[in-house]
Amino acid sequence: MIIGIDPGKDKCGLAVIDKDLNVRFKAVIKSNSLIDKLKVLKDDYQLQVVVLGNGTKSDDIATNLKGVFKKIYIIDESHSTLEAREYYWKENPRRGWRRLLPTSMQTPPEPVDDYVAIILVLRYLNKMSKRN
């Protein structure tokens, strides 16, 4: 199992993905509760790999995670929010007036940090598959 983390100043996106690319858990949590939540998720899902976006506070988070996880990979976050919005709209089809506007002109009604975490894991897996 792999966990993706989209780090942020106030909130972080989390996503746990299994070997079959199923999203087993996703959430947006407060940044100050990240380490405690990761310890719980590590036990619940037998997490082996952490994929951490290289954005806000990623260096601090990586330092704090070294005592909890052995495998921590930093992944480029460039344009991940745009990808996450597209992913959000695929999972949450637009209804009503939202169907009339292109998704590129719309902002999802909730934070997409958890979807960014999914994107980061997919980027990591893609990078690893190219190495093999």
Side-chain angles (χ1 to χ4, degrees):
M1 297 268 200
I2 300 173
I3 187 161
I5 304 170
D6 174 33
K9 179 182 173 196
D10 298 317
K11 62 185 178 353
C12 293
L14 303 175
V16 174
I17 298 180
D18 67 19
K19 64 181 170 82
D20 298 319
L21 302 182
N22 297 310
V23 177
R24 303 283 302 273
F25 173 87
K26 67 182 180 62
V28 178
I29 64 167
K30 291 182 180 183
S31 294
N32 60 6
S33 65
L34 177 64
I35 301 301
D36 291 335
K37 184 66 174 177
L38 289 174
K39 288 176 182 177
V40 171
L41 292 173
K42 181 181 181 187
D43 292 338
D44 289 352
Y45 293 100
Q46 292 78 45
L47 298 173
Q48 319 221 323
V49 176
V50 173
V51 175
L52 177 63
N54 66 343
T56 307
K57 298 186 76 165
S58 62
D59 291 337
D60 294 339
I61 293 171
T63 300
N64 290 331
L65 292 179
K66 286 181 182 172
V68 181
F69 294 96
K70 293 178 183 173
K71 296 179 183 177
I72 302 169
Y73 297 93
I74 308 295
I75 296 292
D76 182 20
E77 281 190 40
S78 300
H79 310 291
S80 59
T81 300
L82 295 174
E83 287 181 53
R85 286 179 182 171
E86 288 179 32
Y87 197 119
Y88 174 89
W89 290 122
K90 284 179 187 173
E91 283 203 345
N92 302 280
R94 298 169 296 144
R95 294 186 175 92
W97 65 269
R98 286 190 178 275
R99 293 181 314 200
L100 303 174
L101 291 175
T103 56
S104 60
M105 294 179 65
Q106 298 183 54
T107 301
E110 58 192 64
V112 293
D113 305 72
D114 48 351
Y115 289 92
V116 171
I118 294 169
I119 299 297
L120 295 174
V121 171
L122 295 176
R123 286 182 181 183
Y124 162 78
L125 292 171
N126 186 38
K127 186 177 180 179
M128 291 297 111
S129 70
K130 287 181 180 178
R131 284 187 179 175
N132 296 331

